[in-house]
Protein backbone atom coordinates (compact mmCIF):
# COMPACT_ATOMS: atom_id res chain seq x y z
CA UNK A 1 0.00 0.00 0.00
CA UNK A 2 2.66 2.49 1.04
CA UNK A 3 4.89 1.42 -1.83
CA UNK A 4 2.10 2.06 -4.35
CA UNK A 5 1.54 5.52 -2.88
CA UNK A 6 5.25 6.27 -3.30
CA UNK A 7 5.22 5.09 -6.91
CA UNK A 8 2.14 7.15 -7.71
CA UNK A 9 3.64 10.20 -6.06
CA UNK A 10 6.89 9.74 -7.97
CA UNK A 11 5.01 9.37 -11.26
CA UNK A 12 2.96 12.50 -10.61
CA UNK A 13 6.10 14.37 -9.61
CA UNK A 14 7.65 13.61 -12.99
CA UNK A 15 4.51 14.84 -14.76
CA UNK A 16 4.29 18.15 -12.92
CA UNK A 17 8.01 18.79 -13.31
CA UNK A 18 7.57 18.88 -17.07
CA UNK A 19 4.85 21.53 -16.79
CA UNK A 20 6.16 23.49 -13.81
CA UNK A 21 7.69 26.31 -15.83
CA UNK A 22 4.41 27.10 -17.58
CA UNK A 23 2.06 26.34 -14.70
CA UNK A 24 2.50 28.01 -11.30
CA UNK A 25 0.14 25.50 -9.66
CA UNK A 26 2.20 22.60 -11.00
CA UNK A 27 5.31 24.27 -9.60
CA UNK A 28 3.66 24.59 -6.20
CA UNK A 29 2.66 20.91 -6.25
CA UNK A 30 6.19 19.89 -7.18
CA UNK A 31 7.67 21.95 -4.35
CA UNK A 32 5.09 20.55 -1.94
CA UNK A 33 5.84 16.92 -2.85
CA UNK A 34 9.56 17.55 -2.39
CA UNK A 35 9.16 19.30 0.95
CA UNK A 36 10.63 17.69 4.06
CA UNK A 37 10.86 19.51 7.39
CA UNK A 38 14.41 19.72 8.64
CA UNK A 39 13.81 19.06 12.31
CA UNK A 40 16.33 16.84 14.01
CA UNK A 41 17.63 16.70 17.55
CA UNK A 42 20.49 19.08 16.68
CA UNK A 43 17.97 21.83 15.86
CA UNK A 44 16.66 21.77 19.43
CA UNK A 45 20.01 21.91 21.16
CA UNK A 46 19.99 21.16 24.83
CA UNK A 47 21.73 24.35 25.95
CA UNK A 48 18.84 26.45 24.61
CA UNK A 49 16.01 27.39 26.95
CA UNK A 50 12.65 25.71 26.38
CA UNK A 51 11.34 29.03 25.03
CA UNK A 52 14.17 29.19 22.48
CA UNK A 53 13.54 25.59 21.48
CA UNK A 54 9.85 26.40 20.93
CA UNK A 55 10.74 29.32 18.67
CA UNK A 56 13.15 27.10 16.72
CA UNK A 57 10.40 24.49 16.36
CA UNK A 58 8.08 27.17 14.97
CA UNK A 59 10.67 28.26 12.40
CA UNK A 60 11.24 24.69 11.23
CA UNK A 61 7.56 23.76 10.89
CA UNK A 62 6.01 27.00 9.61
CA UNK A 63 6.65 26.07 5.98
CA UNK A 64 4.71 22.81 6.41
CA UNK A 65 1.75 24.69 7.89
CA UNK A 66 1.86 27.35 5.16
CA UNK A 67 1.82 24.65 2.48
CA UNK A 68 -1.26 23.09 4.08
CA UNK A 69 -3.05 26.45 4.05
CA UNK A 70 -2.06 27.06 0.44
CA UNK A 71 -3.55 23.71 -0.60
CA UNK A 72 -6.91 24.77 0.87
CA UNK A 73 -6.59 28.12 -0.92
CA UNK A 74 -5.93 26.56 -4.34
CA UNK A 75 -8.52 23.78 -4.13
CA UNK A 76 -11.66 25.80 -5.11
CA UNK A 77 -9.92 27.12 -8.25
CA UNK A 78 -8.74 23.76 -9.58
CA UNK A 79 -10.80 22.28 -12.39
CA UNK A 80 -8.67 19.67 -14.20
CA UNK A 81 -8.32 16.22 -12.67
CA UNK A 82 -4.52 16.19 -12.83
CA UNK A 83 -4.24 19.26 -10.61
CA UNK A 84 -6.88 17.92 -8.23
CA UNK A 85 -4.93 14.68 -7.93
CA UNK A 86 -1.74 16.65 -7.40
CA UNK A 87 -3.23 18.64 -4.52
CA UNK A 88 -4.51 15.41 -2.99
CA UNK A 89 -1.08 13.77 -3.13
CA UNK A 90 0.40 16.95 -1.70
CA UNK A 91 -2.05 16.87 1.22
CA UNK A 92 -1.31 13.22 1.91
CA UNK A 93 2.44 13.87 1.75
CA UNK A 94 2.17 16.70 4.28
CA UNK A 95 0.01 14.54 6.54
CA UNK A 96 2.72 11.88 6.48
CA UNK A 97 5.37 14.47 7.27
CA UNK A 98 3.29 15.74 10.22
CA UNK A 99 2.95 12.18 11.48
CA UNK A 100 6.73 11.69 11.31
CA UNK A 101 7.27 15.05 12.96
CA UNK A 102 4.99 14.35 15.94
CA UNK A 103 6.50 10.88 16.37
CA UNK A 104 10.08 12.21 16.46
CA UNK A 105 11.87 11.82 19.83
CA UNK A 106 12.92 15.49 19.72
CA UNK A 107 9.27 16.55 19.47
CA UNK A 108 8.25 14.41 22.42
CA UNK A 109 11.13 15.83 24.44
CA UNK A 110 9.98 19.35 23.58
CA UNK A 111 6.38 18.53 24.54
CA UNK A 112 7.51 17.28 27.95
CA UNK A 113 9.43 20.49 28.60
CA UNK A 114 6.70 22.83 27.30
CA UNK A 115 4.00 21.39 29.54
CA UNK A 116 5.86 22.81 32.56
CA UNK A 117 6.55 26.22 31.00
CA UNK A 118 4.62 29.48 31.30
CA UNK A 119 1.99 30.87 28.90
CA UNK A 120 1.84 30.54 25.94
CA UNK A 121 4.51 27.84 25.77
CA UNK A 122 2.53 25.37 27.87
CA UNK A 123 -0.42 25.86 25.52
CA UNK A 124 1.81 24.96 22.58
CA UNK A 125 2.84 21.81 24.46
CA UNK A 126 -0.80 20.89 25.05
CA UNK A 127 -1.64 21.42 21.37
CA UNK A 128 1.28 19.32 20.19
CA UNK A 129 0.40 16.56 22.66
CA UNK A 130 -3.21 16.60 21.41
CA UNK A 131 -2.11 16.49 17.78
CA UNK A 132 0.19 13.57 18.53
CA UNK A 133 -2.56 11.69 20.35
CA UNK A 134 -4.97 12.14 17.44
CA UNK A 135 -2.47 10.93 14.84
CA UNK A 136 -3.35 7.60 13.25
CA UNK A 137 -0.86 5.10 11.89
CA UNK A 138 -0.18 5.63 8.19
CA UNK A 139 -1.96 2.47 7.02
CA UNK A 140 -5.14 3.17 9.03
CA UNK A 141 -5.11 6.79 7.94
CA UNK A 142 -4.78 5.73 4.31
CA UNK A 143 -7.77 3.39 4.69
CA UNK A 144 -9.84 6.15 6.30
CA UNK A 145 -9.10 8.69 3.55
CA UNK A 146 -9.85 6.12 0.84
CA UNK A 147 -13.20 5.27 2.44
CA UNK A 148 -14.13 8.93 2.79
CA UNK A 149 -13.25 9.52 -0.87
CA UNK A 150 -15.42 6.54 -1.88
CA UNK A 151 -18.41 8.01 -0.07
CA UNK A 152 -17.82 11.41 -1.67
CA UNK A 153 -17.70 9.78 -5.10
CA UNK A 154 -20.88 7.81 -4.45
CA UNK A 155 -22.85 10.85 -3.27
CA UNK A 156 -21.67 12.98 -6.19
CA UNK A 157 -22.81 10.54 -8.87
CA UNK A 158 -25.23 12.19 -11.31
CA UNK A 159 -26.21 9.24 -13.49
CA UNK A 160 -29.57 8.22 -12.07
CA UNK A 161 -33.24 8.22 -13.06
CA UNK A 162 -36.41 8.33 -11.00
CA UNK A 163 -38.66 5.33 -11.62
CA UNK A 164 -42.07 5.00 -10.02
CA UNK A 165 -44.26 1.99 -9.43
CA UNK A 166 -47.30 4.24 -9.59
CA UNK A 167 -48.03 6.03 -12.85
CA UNK A 168 -49.74 8.80 -10.90
CA UNK A 169 -46.36 9.87 -9.53
CA UNK A 170 -44.86 10.49 -12.97
CA UNK A 171 -44.92 14.14 -13.98
CA UNK A 172 -45.61 15.10 -17.57
CA UNK A 173 -42.68 16.78 -19.29
CA UNK A 174 -43.06 20.52 -19.52
CA UNK A 175 -41.93 22.71 -22.42
CA UNK A 176 -38.64 21.77 -24.00
CA UNK A 177 -36.97 24.81 -22.58
CA UNK A 178 -37.79 23.63 -19.08
CA UNK A 179 -36.63 20.07 -19.65
CA UNK A 180 -33.17 21.12 -20.81
CA UNK A 181 -30.37 20.84 -18.28
CA UNK A 182 -28.54 24.11 -17.75
CA UNK A 183 -24.81 23.93 -18.52
CA UNK A 184 -24.07 25.90 -15.36
CA UNK A 185 -25.89 23.27 -13.32
CA UNK A 186 -23.59 20.62 -14.76
CA UNK A 187 -20.50 22.70 -14.12
CA UNK A 188 -21.51 23.16 -10.48
CA UNK A 189 -22.31 19.46 -9.99
CA UNK A 190 -25.79 20.51 -8.85
CA UNK A 191 -28.07 19.07 -11.55
CA UNK A 192 -29.07 16.13 -9.29
CA UNK A 193 -30.26 18.41 -6.53
CA UNK A 194 -32.02 20.73 -8.97
CA UNK A 195 -33.78 17.82 -10.65
CA UNK A 196 -35.09 16.34 -7.42
CA UNK A 197 -35.97 19.81 -6.15
CA UNK A 198 -38.00 20.55 -9.28
CA UNK A 199 -39.88 17.30 -8.84
CA UNK A 200 -40.63 18.06 -5.18
CA UNK A 201 -41.86 21.53 -6.14
CA UNK A 202 -44.07 20.50 -9.04
CA UNK A 203 -45.49 17.23 -7.69
CA UNK A 204 -48.86 18.00 -5.99
CA UNK A 205 -49.16 14.51 -4.45
CA UNK A 206 -47.44 14.37 -1.05
CA UNK A 207 -47.18 10.58 -1.12
CA UNK A 208 -45.24 10.76 -4.39
CA UNK A 209 -42.99 13.49 -3.04
CA UNK A 210 -42.23 11.38 0.03
CA UNK A 211 -41.34 8.30 -2.01
CA UNK A 212 -39.04 10.34 -4.28
CA UNK A 213 -37.29 12.00 -1.32
CA UNK A 214 -36.78 8.69 0.53
CA UNK A 215 -35.39 7.04 -2.60
CA UNK A 216 -33.00 9.95 -3.11
CA UNK A 217 -31.58 9.56 0.41
CA UNK A 218 -30.52 5.98 -0.33
CA UNK A 219 -29.56 6.43 -3.99
CA UNK A 220 -25.97 5.28 -3.35
CA UNK A 221 -26.47 2.96 -0.36
CA UNK A 222 -24.89 -0.09 -2.02
CA UNK A 223 -21.76 1.86 -3.03
CA UNK A 224 -21.42 3.50 0.38
CA UNK A 225 -22.02 0.55 2.69
CA UNK A 226 -18.52 -1.02 2.60
CA UNK A 227 -16.84 2.37 3.07
CA UNK A 228 -19.11 3.40 5.95
CA UNK A 229 -18.57 0.07 7.68
CA UNK A 230 -14.81 0.49 7.37
CA UNK A 231 -14.92 4.05 8.74
CA UNK A 232 -16.99 2.89 11.70
CA UNK A 233 -14.62 -0.02 12.34
CA UNK A 234 -11.48 2.17 12.19
CA UNK A 235 -12.92 4.74 14.60
CA UNK A 236 -14.12 2.03 16.98
CA UNK A 237 -10.67 0.39 17.00
CA UNK A 238 -9.05 3.72 17.78
CA UNK A 239 -11.53 4.39 20.63
CA UNK A 240 -10.85 0.95 22.10
CA UNK A 241 -7.09 1.59 21.97
CA UNK A 242 -7.72 4.79 23.95
CA UNK A 243 -9.65 2.78 26.58
CA UNK A 244 -13.09 4.11 25.60
CA UNK A 245 -16.20 2.01 25.07
CA UNK A 246 -17.15 3.61 21.74
CA UNK A 247 -16.17 6.34 19.30
CA UNK A 248 -18.67 8.87 20.64
CA UNK A 249 -17.16 8.69 24.14
CA UNK A 250 -13.63 9.01 22.76
CA UNK A 251 -14.30 12.04 20.55
CA UNK A 252 -16.58 13.94 22.94
CA UNK A 253 -14.17 13.61 25.86
CA UNK A 254 -11.91 16.17 24.15
CA UNK A 255 -14.62 18.78 24.64
CA UNK A 256 -15.63 17.81 28.16
CA UNK A 257 -18.80 16.12 26.86
CA UNK A 258 -20.26 12.62 26.86
CA UNK A 259 -23.03 11.07 24.73
CA UNK A 260 -25.70 11.75 27.36
CA UNK A 261 -24.84 15.45 27.62
CA UNK A 262 -24.72 15.81 23.84
CA UNK A 263 -28.13 14.13 23.53
CA UNK A 264 -29.50 16.58 26.10
CA UNK A 265 -28.05 19.53 24.18
CA UNK A 266 -29.49 18.32 20.86
CA UNK A 267 -32.88 17.77 22.46
CA UNK A 268 -32.87 21.36 23.68
CA UNK A 269 -31.99 22.54 20.17
CA UNK A 270 -34.93 20.66 18.63
CA UNK A 271 -37.96 22.59 17.34
CA UNK A 272 -40.86 21.01 15.48
CA UNK A 273 -41.26 22.77 12.13
CA UNK A 274 -44.12 20.44 11.21
CA UNK A 275 -42.83 20.51 7.61
CA UNK A 276 -41.33 17.27 6.30
CA UNK A 277 -38.23 17.48 4.06
CA UNK A 278 -40.23 16.19 1.09
CA UNK A 279 -42.67 19.11 1.58
CA UNK A 280 -40.25 21.98 2.25
CA UNK A 281 -39.60 22.80 -1.43
CA UNK A 282 -43.34 22.74 -2.14
CA UNK A 283 -44.00 25.11 0.77
CA UNK A 284 -41.18 27.48 -0.15
CA UNK A 285 -42.41 27.75 -3.73
CA UNK A 286 -45.49 29.54 -2.41
CA UNK A 287 -43.58 32.13 -0.34
CA UNK A 288 -42.16 35.37 -1.72
CA UNK A 289 -38.39 35.24 -2.30
CA UNK A 290 -37.46 38.89 -2.03
CA UNK A 291 -36.33 40.97 0.92
CA UNK A 292 -36.74 44.68 0.29
CA UNK A 293 -33.41 46.48 -0.05
CA UNK A 294 -31.77 49.08 -2.22
CA UNK A 295 -29.00 47.92 -4.49
CA UNK A 296 -25.61 49.01 -3.16
CA UNK A 297 -22.08 48.66 -4.46
CA UNK A 298 -19.75 46.37 -2.57
CA UNK A 299 -17.41 49.32 -2.10
CA UNK A 300 -20.09 51.40 -0.38
CA UNK A 301 -21.17 48.50 1.80
CA UNK A 302 -17.62 47.69 2.85
CA UNK A 303 -17.08 51.32 3.82
CA UNK A 304 -20.14 51.10 6.07
CA UNK A 305 -18.70 47.98 7.71
CA UNK A 306 -15.29 49.62 8.16
CA UNK A 307 -16.92 52.61 9.87
CA UNK A 308 -18.89 50.30 12.19
CA UNK A 309 -15.68 48.55 13.26
CA UNK A 310 -13.79 51.72 14.15
CA UNK A 311 -15.03 51.65 17.80
CA UNK A 312 -13.31 48.26 18.18
CA UNK A 313 -9.93 49.84 17.43
CA UNK A 314 -9.81 48.53 13.85
CA UNK A 315 -8.56 50.61 10.94
CA UNK A 316 -8.58 49.71 7.24
CA UNK A 317 -6.26 50.98 4.52
CA UNK A 318 -6.92 50.29 0.84
CA UNK A 319 -3.96 49.51 -1.41
CA UNK A 320 -4.51 49.27 -5.19
CA UNK A 321 -2.56 46.38 -6.70
CA UNK A 322 -3.66 46.67 -10.33
CA UNK A 323 -1.76 49.87 -11.11
CA UNK A 324 2.00 50.13 -11.29
CA UNK A 325 2.01 52.91 -8.71
CA UNK A 326 0.95 51.87 -5.23
CA UNK A 327 -1.94 54.06 -4.11
CA UNK A 328 -2.85 54.22 -0.44
CA UNK A 329 -5.86 55.83 1.15
CA UNK A 330 -7.17 55.63 4.68
CA UNK A 331 -10.61 54.12 5.15
CA UNK A 332 -12.10 57.55 5.88
CA UNK A 333 -11.60 58.84 2.33
CA UNK A 334 -10.98 55.60 0.43
CA UNK A 335 -14.53 55.39 -0.83
CA UNK A 336 -14.25 58.66 -2.69
CA UNK A 337 -10.73 58.31 -4.05
CA UNK A 338 -9.97 54.60 -4.13
CA UNK A 339 -13.04 52.44 -4.83
CA UNK A 340 -12.76 48.66 -4.92
CA UNK A 341 -12.98 48.43 -8.70
CA UNK A 342 -9.85 46.33 -9.21
CA UNK A 343 -7.99 43.75 -7.21
CA UNK A 344 -6.89 45.47 -4.04
CA UNK A 345 -5.52 44.73 -0.62
CA UNK A 346 -7.34 45.87 2.50
CA UNK A 347 -4.61 46.40 5.08
CA UNK A 348 -6.04 45.73 8.54
CA UNK A 349 -4.72 47.45 11.68
CA UNK A 350 -5.72 47.00 15.30
CA UNK A 351 -4.69 50.13 17.16
CA UNK A 352 -1.04 50.47 16.10
CA UNK A 353 -0.45 46.81 15.20
CA UNK A 354 -0.60 45.52 11.63
CA UNK A 355 -2.74 42.37 11.46
CA UNK A 356 -2.34 41.58 7.77
CA UNK A 357 -3.87 42.03 4.32
CA UNK A 358 -7.19 40.98 2.79
CA UNK A 359 -6.90 40.67 -0.99
CA UNK A 360 -10.21 41.51 -2.69
CA UNK A 361 -11.40 40.23 -6.05
CA UNK A 362 -14.60 41.93 -7.29
CA UNK A 363 -16.41 39.56 -9.65
CA UNK A 364 -17.31 40.41 -13.23
CA UNK A 365 -20.99 40.88 -14.03
CA UNK A 366 -20.63 38.29 -16.79
CA UNK A 367 -20.01 35.51 -14.25
CA UNK A 368 -22.89 33.06 -14.18
CA UNK A 369 -23.08 32.95 -10.37
CA UNK A 370 -22.20 35.93 -8.25
CA UNK A 371 -21.29 34.77 -4.78
CA UNK A 372 -19.17 35.78 -1.81
CA UNK A 373 -16.16 33.58 -1.07
CA UNK A 374 -13.29 33.88 1.37
CA UNK A 375 -10.19 31.79 1.98
CA UNK A 376 -7.12 32.01 4.19
CA UNK A 377 -3.84 32.36 2.27
CA UNK A 378 -1.37 32.62 5.13
CA UNK A 379 -1.88 32.50 8.90
CA UNK A 380 -0.51 35.44 10.89
CA UNK A 381 2.22 34.40 13.35
CA UNK A 382 3.73 37.14 15.50
CA UNK A 383 7.46 37.51 14.86
CA UNK A 384 7.38 35.34 11.73
CA UNK A 385 4.79 36.49 9.16
CA UNK A 386 1.77 38.73 8.65
CA UNK A 387 -1.55 37.15 7.73
CA UNK A 388 -3.08 37.10 4.24
CA UNK A 389 -6.69 36.40 3.28
CA UNK A 390 -8.56 36.37 -0.05
CA UNK A 391 -12.08 37.74 -0.45
CA UNK A 392 -14.21 37.58 -3.60
CA UNK A 393 -17.60 39.28 -4.04
CA UNK A 394 -19.95 40.80 -6.66
CA UNK A 395 -19.43 44.45 -7.55
CA UNK A 396 -23.10 45.12 -6.86
CA UNK A 397 -25.05 43.70 -3.92
CA UNK A 398 -28.62 43.17 -5.05
CA UNK A 399 -29.86 40.80 -2.35
CA UNK A 400 -29.84 40.94 1.42
CA UNK A 401 -28.28 37.45 1.52
CA UNK A 402 -25.26 38.81 -0.39
CA UNK A 403 -24.83 41.50 2.25
CA UNK A 404 -25.02 38.91 5.03
CA UNK A 405 -22.51 36.66 3.27
CA UNK A 406 -20.10 39.56 2.81
CA UNK A 407 -20.40 40.47 6.51
CA UNK A 408 -19.69 36.86 7.49
CA UNK A 409 -16.78 36.43 5.09
CA UNK A 410 -15.17 39.71 6.17
CA UNK A 411 -15.66 38.79 9.84
CA UNK A 412 -13.93 35.46 9.23
CA UNK A 413 -11.05 37.26 7.57
CA UNK A 414 -10.65 39.79 10.39
CA UNK A 415 -10.76 37.07 13.05
CA UNK A 416 -8.20 34.97 11.16
CA UNK A 417 -5.83 37.94 11.00
CA UNK A 418 -6.51 39.17 14.54
CA UNK A 419 -6.13 35.81 16.30
CA UNK A 420 -2.41 35.72 15.76
CA UNK A 421 0.02 34.45 18.34
CA UNK A 422 3.64 33.44 18.65
CA UNK A 423 2.86 29.95 17.36
CA UNK A 424 0.88 28.73 14.36
CA UNK A 425 -0.92 25.99 16.27
CA UNK A 426 -2.28 28.55 18.75
CA UNK A 427 -3.67 30.78 15.98
CA UNK A 428 -4.91 28.71 13.06
CA UNK A 429 -8.66 28.17 12.69
CA UNK A 430 -8.39 24.42 12.09
CA UNK A 431 -6.54 23.99 15.39
CA UNK A 432 -8.89 26.35 17.28
CA UNK A 433 -12.34 25.74 15.82
CA UNK A 434 -14.40 26.87 18.81
CA UNK A 435 -12.50 30.10 19.44
CA UNK A 436 -12.51 31.09 15.77
CA UNK A 437 -16.19 30.24 15.17
CA UNK A 438 -17.47 31.97 18.32
CA UNK A 439 -15.39 35.08 17.62
CA UNK A 440 -16.64 35.23 14.03
CA UNK A 441 -20.30 34.81 14.99
CA UNK A 442 -20.00 37.49 17.68
CA UNK A 443 -18.39 39.92 15.21
CA UNK A 444 -21.14 39.25 12.65
CA UNK A 445 -23.74 40.04 15.32
CA UNK A 446 -21.92 43.26 16.26
CA UNK A 447 -21.75 44.48 12.63
CA UNK A 448 -25.42 43.68 12.05
CA UNK A 449 -26.33 45.68 15.12
CA UNK A 450 -24.30 48.66 13.97
CA UNK A 451 -25.66 48.65 10.41
CA UNK A 452 -29.26 47.97 11.46
CA UNK A 453 -30.00 45.89 8.35
CA UNK A 454 -33.54 44.73 7.56
CA UNK A 455 -34.55 41.21 8.51
CA UNK A 456 -34.37 38.40 6.01
CA UNK A 457 -37.63 37.54 4.28
CA UNK A 458 -40.01 34.98 5.77
CA UNK A 459 -38.90 32.56 3.06
CA UNK A 460 -35.23 32.76 4.00
CA UNK A 461 -36.03 32.57 7.68
CA UNK A 462 -37.92 29.33 7.04
CA UNK A 463 -34.99 27.99 5.01
CA UNK A 464 -32.66 28.76 7.92
CA UNK A 465 -34.99 27.06 10.42
CA UNK A 466 -35.26 23.99 8.21
CA UNK A 467 -31.48 23.77 7.70
CA UNK A 468 -30.93 24.09 11.44
CA UNK A 469 -33.35 21.26 12.23
CA UNK A 470 -31.82 19.09 9.51
CA UNK A 471 -28.44 19.73 11.16
CA UNK A 472 -29.85 18.78 14.57
CA UNK A 473 -31.31 15.55 13.21
CA UNK A 474 -28.12 14.59 11.40
CA UNK A 475 -26.12 15.28 14.57
CA UNK A 476 -28.42 12.83 16.38
CA UNK A 477 -27.85 10.28 13.62
CA UNK A 478 -24.07 10.70 13.90
CA UNK A 479 -24.28 10.31 17.69
CA UNK A 480 -26.23 7.06 17.29
CA UNK A 481 -23.91 5.77 14.56
CA UNK A 482 -20.74 6.35 16.59
CA UNK A 483 -22.22 5.03 19.83
CA UNK A 484 -23.00 1.74 18.12
CA UNK A 485 -20.30 -0.88 18.75
CA UNK A 486 -21.44 -3.78 16.58
CA UNK A 487 -21.13 -4.67 12.91
CA UNK A 488 -23.55 -3.94 10.09
CA UNK A 489 -23.68 -7.48 8.70
CA UNK A 490 -25.35 -10.72 9.71
CA UNK A 491 -27.12 -10.87 13.06
CA UNK A 492 -25.41 -7.66 14.23
CA UNK A 493 -27.27 -5.78 11.50
CA UNK A 494 -30.53 -6.41 13.35
CA UNK A 495 -29.01 -4.71 16.40
CA UNK A 496 -28.24 -1.65 14.31
CA UNK A 497 -31.74 -1.58 12.82
CA UNK A 498 -33.25 -1.36 16.31
CA UNK A 499 -32.16 2.29 16.14
CA UNK A 500 -34.86 2.91 13.52
CA UNK A 501 -37.46 3.64 16.18
CA UNK A 502 -35.54 6.27 18.22
CA UNK A 503 -34.18 7.94 15.08
CA UNK A 504 -37.66 8.01 13.53
CA UNK A 505 -38.91 9.67 16.71
CA UNK A 506 -36.07 12.20 16.47
CA UNK A 507 -37.05 12.89 12.86
CA UNK A 508 -40.66 13.43 13.87
CA UNK A 509 -39.64 15.83 16.66
CA UNK A 510 -38.07 18.14 14.07
CA UNK A 511 -40.30 17.67 11.02
CA UNK A 512 -43.66 16.43 12.30
CA UNK A 513 -43.67 13.11 10.38
CA UNK A 514 -42.01 9.76 10.91
CA UNK A 515 -39.28 8.10 8.88
CA UNK A 516 -39.69 4.39 9.70
CA UNK A 517 -36.28 3.44 8.26
CA UNK A 518 -34.45 6.44 9.68
CA UNK A 519 -31.15 4.53 9.98
CA UNK A 520 -30.95 5.02 6.20
CA UNK A 521 -30.00 8.62 6.98
CA UNK A 522 -26.36 7.53 7.33
CA UNK A 523 -26.25 7.18 3.53
CA UNK A 524 -27.53 10.70 2.82
CA UNK A 525 -24.74 13.08 3.86
CA UNK A 526 -20.95 13.26 3.60
CA UNK A 527 -20.42 14.78 7.04
CA UNK A 528 -21.07 11.50 8.85
CA UNK A 529 -17.86 10.18 7.28
CA UNK A 530 -15.74 13.34 7.39
CA UNK A 531 -16.85 15.22 10.52
CA UNK A 532 -18.23 12.20 12.31
CA UNK A 533 -19.56 12.78 15.81
CA UNK A 534 -18.34 16.40 15.65
CA UNK A 535 -21.13 17.34 13.24
CA UNK A 536 -22.85 18.99 16.24
CA UNK A 537 -20.07 21.55 16.78
CA UNK A 538 -21.54 24.48 14.75
CA UNK A 539 -24.75 24.16 16.80
CA UNK A 540 -22.76 24.32 20.03
CA UNK A 541 -20.70 27.28 18.83
CA UNK A 542 -23.81 29.23 17.82
CA UNK A 543 -25.50 28.53 21.15
CA UNK A 544 -22.41 29.65 23.03
CA UNK A 545 -22.19 32.85 20.98
CA UNK A 546 -25.84 33.63 21.69
CA UNK A 547 -25.22 33.04 25.38
CA UNK A 548 -22.37 35.56 25.30
CA UNK A 549 -24.59 38.10 23.52
CA UNK A 550 -27.41 37.57 26.03
CA UNK A 551 -25.46 37.48 29.30
CA UNK A 552 -22.43 39.77 28.98
CA UNK A 553 -22.94 42.59 31.54
CA UNK A 554 -23.58 46.08 30.14
CA UNK A 555 -20.42 47.37 31.85
CA UNK A 556 -18.32 45.28 29.43
CA UNK A 557 -18.09 47.28 26.20
CA UNK A 558 -18.00 45.74 22.69
CA UNK A 559 -14.36 46.82 22.46
CA UNK A 560 -13.59 44.95 25.69
CA UNK A 561 -15.33 41.87 24.29
CA UNK A 562 -13.37 42.12 21.03
CA UNK A 563 -10.05 42.53 22.84
CA UNK A 564 -10.73 39.56 25.11
CA UNK A 565 -12.54 37.20 22.74
CA UNK A 566 -10.70 37.90 19.49
CA UNK A 567 -7.34 39.57 20.19
CA UNK A 568 -6.59 37.81 23.51
CA UNK A 569 -3.10 39.26 23.98
CA UNK A 570 -2.66 37.42 27.30
CA UNK A 571 -3.32 33.98 25.71
CA UNK A 572 -6.17 33.12 28.07
CA UNK A 573 -7.82 29.74 27.37
CA UNK A 574 -11.37 29.93 26.02
CA UNK A 575 -12.94 28.83 29.31
CA UNK A 576 -11.14 31.61 31.19
CA UNK A 577 -12.38 34.16 28.67
CA UNK A 578 -15.93 32.85 28.96
CA UNK A 579 -15.80 33.10 32.73
CA UNK A 580 -14.74 36.74 32.48
CA UNK A 581 -17.50 37.51 29.98
CA UNK A 582 -20.53 35.63 31.32
CA UNK A 583 -19.38 34.48 34.75
CA UNK A 584 -19.31 30.96 36.22
CA UNK A 585 -20.26 28.17 35.97
CA UNK A 586 -18.98 27.33 32.51
CA UNK A 587 -18.63 23.53 32.64
CA UNK A 588 -20.46 21.75 29.82
CA UNK A 589 -23.37 20.57 31.98
CA UNK A 590 -23.95 24.10 33.29
CA UNK A 591 -23.60 25.62 29.81
CA UNK A 592 -26.29 23.32 28.43
CA UNK A 593 -28.61 24.41 31.24
CA UNK A 594 -27.77 28.06 30.61
CA UNK A 595 -28.37 27.65 26.86
CA UNK A 596 -31.87 26.44 27.59
CA UNK A 597 -32.78 29.11 30.13
CA UNK A 598 -31.24 31.89 28.04
CA UNK A 599 -33.37 30.81 25.08
CA UNK A 600 -30.47 30.12 22.77
CA UNK A 601 -32.15 27.56 20.54
CA UNK A 602 -31.12 28.78 17.10
CA UNK A 603 -33.56 30.78 15.09
Amino acid sequence: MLKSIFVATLFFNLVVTANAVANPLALFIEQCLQYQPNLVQDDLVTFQSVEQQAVEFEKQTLALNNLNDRIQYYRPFVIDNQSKQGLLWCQLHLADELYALTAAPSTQSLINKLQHAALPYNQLGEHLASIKQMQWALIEKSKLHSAQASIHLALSQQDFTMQFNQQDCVLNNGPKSESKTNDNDINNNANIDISIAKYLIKQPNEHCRKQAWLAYQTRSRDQQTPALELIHQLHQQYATQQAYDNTAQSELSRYGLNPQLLQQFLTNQTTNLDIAPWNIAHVLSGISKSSKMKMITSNEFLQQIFASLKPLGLKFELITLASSTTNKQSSSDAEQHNPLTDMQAIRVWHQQRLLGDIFTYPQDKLKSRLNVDGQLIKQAVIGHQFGQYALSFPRQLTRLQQQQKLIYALSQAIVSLAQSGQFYFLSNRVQNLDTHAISTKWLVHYINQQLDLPLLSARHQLVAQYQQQLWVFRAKVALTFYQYKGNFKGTDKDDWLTNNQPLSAAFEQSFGQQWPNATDAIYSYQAIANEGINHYLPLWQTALTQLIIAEVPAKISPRDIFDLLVINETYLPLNDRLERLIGPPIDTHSLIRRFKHAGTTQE
Side-chain angles (χ1 to χ4, degrees), residues 58 417 470 563 580:
E58 182 70 22
L417 299 180
L470 185 61
D563 288 346
R580 291 193 180 190

Side-chain angles (χ1 to χ4, degrees), residues 348-447:
V348 185
W349 299 80
H350 178 251
Q351 298 179 6
Q352 301 300 317
R353 181 165 73 91
L354 174 62
L355 301 182
D357 294 329
I358 303 173
F359 296 96
T360 63
Y361 303 87
Q363 297 168 0
D364 197 303
K365 293 180 180 179
L366 298 178
K367 286 195 66 173
S368 58
R369 295 184 66 185
L370 298 179
N371 204 353
V372 178
D373 298 300
Q375 184 63 53
L376 177 71
I377 301 175
K378 184 188 294 183
Q379 176 64 52
V381 182
I382 295 175
H384 296 279
Q385 60 188 29
F386 293 111
Q388 293 180 343
Y389 206 93
L391 194 61
S392 176
F393 45 78
R395 297 179 187 273
Q396 305 282 339
L397 303 178
T398 59
R399 302 190 305 275
L400 191 57
Q401 306 93 278
Q402 289 178 323
Q403 291 185 349
Q404 293 292 343
K405 287 181 179 180
L406 184 52
I407 290 173
Y408 189 85
L410 183 62
S411 297
Q412 275 195 318
I414 292 171
V415 170
S416 293
L417 299 180
Q419 289 188 341
S420 57
Q422 291 178 246
F423 305 105
Y424 177 94
F425 288 121
L426 300 185
S427 308
N428 185 260
R429 180 180 67 87
V430 176
Q431 306 296 333
N432 304 273
L433 288 175
D434 280 350
T435 301
H436 191 280
I438 294 165
S439 300
T440 299
K441 292 174 186 293
W442 178 85
L443 191 57
V444 168
H445 170 79
Y446 171 82
I447 294 172

